[in-house]
């Protein structure tokens, strides 16, 4: 199984809503990532988890709250988002941090629209 | 600074022809990897090919090959016998920092013409 599964695939939410994005992998990977991607732009790193601990937060606003309940799951909790937060949110995983040859496996993303 | 530059926002190629996508990067490291990822309309980023910096031999994966010029910090992707399914956004990527998180170039949108 070389899949990273993200749910939901599409999400429309109001600015006062609270929602969560979910990501799951069963490859035994110990590093997991959230990226944000705007249309026709490259992905931008948001968070990195290593062994279920937050390793990197790229100065992301607090209305985005990541959580890694176990080694297979990664969540992104959303609250009080702005329309400019509308984007494709990609989850990725890799075997471990620190190895230069580490391939990242990506999910299909959640297309988020904030209205 | 560790940056990745793709200077071709869009490219097109005739089916069965060959196309080369360009990428340059900047790093102070001597041993590193470089990657090309493909993102089709399905949105999933898929690894196409990887190159290890201290290997002089250019990487090849079926119809995909790279031209790696370490001194020039150039890492281009050649797609031979282009197929309609190759149409996608292609990103050059460099794993940087302590977490080896990927730094992507701006991408090249490849269109394959029938």
């Amino acid at each position: 199984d070389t899949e990273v599964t993200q749910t939901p695939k599409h999400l429309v939410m109001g600015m006062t809503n609270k929602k969560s994005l979910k990501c799951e992998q069963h490859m035994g990977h110990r590093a997991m990532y959230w990226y944000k991607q705007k249309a026709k732009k490259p992905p931008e790193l948001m968070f990195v988890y290593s062994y279920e601990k937050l390793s990197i937060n790229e100065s992301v606003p607090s209305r985005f709250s990541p959580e890694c309940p176990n080694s297979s799951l990664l969540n992104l909790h959303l609250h009080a988002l702005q329309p400019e937060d509308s984007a494709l949110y990609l989850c990725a995983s890799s075997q471990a941090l620190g190895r230069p040859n580490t391939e990242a496996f990506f999910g299909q993303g959640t297309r988020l629209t904030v209205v | 600074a560790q940056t990745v530059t793709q200077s071709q926002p869009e490219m097109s190629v005739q089916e069965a022809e060959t196309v080369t996508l360009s990428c340059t990067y900047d790093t102070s490291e001597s041993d590193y990897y470089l990657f090309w990822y493909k993102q089709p309309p399905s949105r999933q980023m898929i690894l196409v090919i990887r190159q290890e910096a201290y290997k002089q031999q250019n990487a090849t994966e079926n119809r995909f090959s790279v031209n790696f010029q370490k001194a020039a910090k150039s890492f281009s992707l050649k797609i031979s016998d282009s197929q309609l399914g190759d149409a996608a956004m292609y990103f050059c990527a460099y794993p940087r920092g302590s977490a080896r998180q990927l730094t992507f170039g701006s991408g090249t949108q490849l269109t394959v013409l029938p």
Side-chain angles (χ1 to χ4, degrees), chain A residues 6-114:
Chain A
Q6 288 188 244
T7 55
K9 288 191 169 34
H10 300 274
L11 178 63
V12 179
M13 61 184 289
M15 289 189 284
T16 58
N17 291 158
K18 285 185 181 180
K19 296 286 184 184
S20 297
L21 309 185
K22 297 187 184 304
C23 174
E24 189 169 5
Q25 57 88 14
H26 295 288
M27 294 177 277
H29 289 173
R30 304 313 297 269
M32 296 187 77
Y33 311 78
W34 280 114
Y35 286 86
K36 174 182 177 180
Q37 186 179 25
K38 290 284 207 178
K40 299 195 182 300
K41 296 290 187 183
E44 296 177 345
L45 183 69
M46 300 175 72
F47 302 104
V48 180
Y49 272 84
S50 175
Y51 292 86
E52 296 98 68
K53 287 186 170 41
L54 184 63
S55 174
I56 292 176
N57 176 343
E58 292 281 13
S59 303
V60 179
S62 59
R63 56 185 184 270
F64 295 91
S65 175
E67 178 197 21
C68 191
N70 60 55
S71 60
S72 300
L73 292 174
L74 185 66
N75 298 321
L76 186 63
H77 303 298
L78 314 172
H79 173 55
L81 294 194
Q82 303 297 310
E84 59 264 29
D85 296 322
S86 299
L88 180 67
Y89 288 84
L90 291 166
C91 174
S93 71
S94 64
Q95 281 189 328
L97 297 185
R99 297 180 184 175
N101 64 334
T102 298
E103 174 186 351
F105 291 80
F106 286 82
Q108 284 192 302
T110 294
R111 175 77 65 195
L112 173 67
T113 303
V114 181

Side-chain angles (χ1 to χ4, degrees), chain B residues 3-112:
Chain B
T3 60
V4 180
T5 302
Q6 292 178 250
S7 58
Q8 305 154 313
E10 297 177 345
M11 292 280 285
S12 63
V13 62
Q14 209 71 36
E15 198 175 1
E17 297 293 309
T18 296
V19 65
T20 298
L21 309 183
S22 301
C23 173
T24 59
Y25 62 94
D26 187 27
T27 182
S28 55
E29 296 181 319
S30 57
D31 187 19
Y32 51 90
Y33 279 72
L34 293 159
F35 300 90
W36 277 99
Y37 277 86
K38 165 186 176 181
Q39 188 176 35
S42 67
R43 310 181 319 207
Q44 187 169 16
M45 299 278 278
I46 301 165
L47 180 66
V48 174
I49 199 166
R50 82 187 83 189
Q51 173 76 43
E52 185 172 3
Y54 77 76
K55 282 190 178 174
Q56 295 192 352
Q57 188 173 7
N58 289 324
T60 300
E61 289 284 345
N62 300 314
R63 298 181 295 106
F64 298 88
S65 62
V66 301
N67 182 3
F68 175 54
Q69 303 288 331
K70 190 174 182 180
K73 296 195 171 111
S74 170
F75 179 58
S76 59
L77 175 69
K78 185 170 87 169
I79 306 174
S80 304
D81 186 25
S82 297
Q83 300 176 359
L84 295 177
D86 295 333
M89 181 74 93
Y90 285 81
F91 292 101
C92 179
Y94 173 87
R96 66 171 175 89
S98 59
R100 296 299 181 182
Q101 60 269 29
L102 293 172
T103 296
F104 292 93
S106 54
T108 297
Q109 182 68 52
L110 179 67
T111 301
V112 181

